[in-house]
Amino acid sequence: MKIILTGAAGFIGSCYLRKLNDMGLSDVWIVDTPLSAEGVENLQGKKFKDYLSREDLLQRISREQFKDVDVIVHMGACSDTTEMDRAFLKRNNFEYSQTLALWALTKGKRFHYASSASVYGDGKNGYQDDDSLLAQFKPLNPYAESKHAFDSWLIHEKLTNQVVGFRYFNVFGPNEYHKGDMRSMVCKAVDQINKDGAVKLFATTRPGYPDGSEERDFVYVKDVNEVMAYFLEHPDKNGIFNVGSGKARSFKDLMLAVFSALGKEPVIQYIPMPERLKGQYQYFTEADLSKLRSVGYNKPFLKLEESVGDYVKNHLIQQQRIY
């Protein structure tokens, strides 16, 4: 199988490249922006055919140079949920994705891509990945709007039965180190604990709820790999699917799991939430996995304590952290 993998130097992309290699697949053209030092680090020890910039990819596609490619796995887009430049997001998260999807579908190639649970907005309308429900969700920020727009375009054009979209919830795990403030709380917590012996969480802004009670569907990147690989191996399965554990857990639970993995007594300090985040903060997310299970994906997801333990013990506190 021959694959184009965009965003391959990033977090989920590089972990998926590891999974592809473990599956015996190395005919992979990897695509990313000009490689940073972190990007090079994420690619260490992995096998691939060639590295291309986005511009290289688009030029070679226009020249009909990828006739033997079987699938595009499109992980390459802006993943910064605080990005406010809508024109930039339109170019990177909508138009670029649209170009690749149209090329793949007109050439008889498969197209897999990264969506996001951010399309569900504040969650008051639930987290069901039924195409007919997407219009009722109201994204909370420009990043989410860009993801919602691309999903909506595919649905409007009746293309979802020809593609696979992965609507990621709160993914964490190795190879996210370059993401700065967009790293998971697990990664940031270990740094804070090693430095100060304590971890900082935002205090709740919900009357009647204790600090640390906000809940997310935290899902381990190694579980995400398994979901993505399933659809690669089952080309008859298509659609946009939630990719989460299916079980919401609190930020306090997450931090207790980190302290446990480090063998330390928990010390959690609560700090005020920045005003800029209050209007776009989600208090609860939980993937509805009914659709995913309905197409035959039956593997269990790791429990939070197991996945955090693996990440902390086998990656974050190890000298060789890259997966």
Side-chain angles (χ1 to χ4, degrees):
M1 184 181 295
K2 299 181 186 299
I3 301 166
I4 294 172
L5 175 62
T6 74
F11 168 34
I12 298 177
S14 63
C15 289
Y16 191 48
L17 181 57
R18 165 64 64 202
K19 177 64 177 178
L20 293 175
N21 287 173
D22 290 346
M23 295 166 66
L25 299 172
S26 58
D27 276 347
V28 184
W29 286 265
I30 65 171
V31 183
D32 216 305
T33 52
L35 289 176
S36 63
E38 293 84 2
V40 172
E41 185 180 29
N42 277 351
L43 296 175
Q44 287 178 358
K46 298 178 177 67
K47 298 176 182 178
F48 51 90
K49 194 172 184 69
D50 196 9
Y51 164 76
L52 305 172
S53 69
R54 182 176 69 172
E55 291 70 27
D56 292 334
L57 173 64
L58 293 174
Q59 288 178 7
R60 291 177 66 169
I61 280 176
S62 67
R63 295 171 184 165
E64 301 291 339
Q65 294 181 356
F66 284 116
K67 293 181 180 180
D68 57 347
V69 163
D70 299 293
V71 57
I72 292 181
V73 181
H74 181 40
M75 301 287 107
C78 174
S79 61
D80 186 348
T81 60
T82 64
E83 177 61 62
M84 291 292 116
D85 187 338
R86 284 182 168 85
F88 170 80
L89 288 165
K90 182 181 179 183
R91 291 193 303 273
N92 284 271
N93 289 10
F94 182 79
E95 293 174 355
Y96 180 35
S97 301
Q98 189 180 52
T99 296
L100 296 182
L102 288 172
W103 178 83
L105 295 177
T106 56
K107 301 298 180 182
K109 317 295 184 183
R110 295 158 66 193
F111 182 74
H112 294 186
Y113 76 98
S115 182
S116 167
S118 66
V119 302
Y120 294 117
D122 61 10
K124 66 181 180 182
N125 291 316
Y127 297 93
Q128 190 174 349
D129 46 5
D130 184 324
D131 289 354
S132 67
L133 300 178
L134 185 62
Q136 72 183 26
F137 302 118
K138 305 301 178 187
L140 298 178
N141 55 48
Y143 164 82
E145 290 169 6
S146 70
K147 292 295 188 179
H148 189 279
F150 186 66
D151 285 2
S152 298
W153 173 73
L154 288 170
I155 292 168
H156 180 266
E157 298 298 319
K158 297 180 171 56
L159 297 174
T160 57
N161 63 343
Q162 301 177 57
V163 305
V164 180
F166 302 107
R167 206 166 274 168
Y168 302 121
F169 278 67
N170 286 72
V171 186
F172 69 94
N175 299 13
E176 64 171 322
Y177 319 117
H178 65 288
K179 291 172 67 67
D181 199 45
M182 291 295 105
R183 291 175 299 156
S184 72
M185 270 307 302
V186 178
C187 187
K188 290 190 281 190
V190 170
D191 287 348
Q192 291 178 20
I193 294 165
N194 287 337
K195 181 182 177 183
D196 304 318
V199 67
K200 293 180 173 64
L201 290 179
F202 291 140
T204 187
T205 59
R206 298 187 298 172
Y209 286 84
D211 289 333
S213 64
E214 289 81 5
E215 294 177 300
R216 294 283 192 281
D217 189 328
F218 301 107
V219 60
Y220 198 29
V221 72
K222 294 182 184 181
D223 282 330
V224 170
N225 274 349
E226 296 300 315
V227 175
M228 294 172 65
Y230 176 80
F231 286 96
L232 196 67
E233 295 176 320
H234 294 82
D236 58 318
K237 312 292 187 183
N238 294 291
I240 304 174
F241 299 90
N242 285 336
V243 182
S245 69
K247 176 65 176 175
R249 299 289 299 274
S250 72
F251 275 100
K252 184 177 180 180
D253 287 342
L254 186 71
M255 294 302 97
L256 293 178
V258 172
F259 278 105
S260 177
L262 290 171
K264 297 178 180 291
E265 288 297 315
V267 182
I268 304 174
Q269 301 169 354
Y270 294 96
I271 60 175
M273 184 183 296
E275 287 295 325
R276 65 183 177 83
L277 294 181
K278 289 182 179 179
Q280 54 178 288
Y281 198 77
Q282 294 173 304
Y283 294 99
F284 175 87
T285 66
E286 185 175 85
D288 182 331
L289 299 182
S290 303
K291 187 175 175 182
L292 180 66
R293 297 306 192 193
S294 75
V295 296
Y297 187 80
N298 295 316
K299 288 186 178 180
F301 289 80
L302 290 172
K303 293 181 180 178
L304 182 69
E305 288 76 12
E306 294 173 324
S307 55
V308 169
D310 180 75
Y311 184 21
V312 172
K313 295 175 184 178
N314 296 323
H315 299 284
L316 288 175
I317 61 176
Q318 295 296 321
Q319 191 168 11
Q320 180 60 39
R321 300 193 301 169
I322 299 300
Y323 173 59

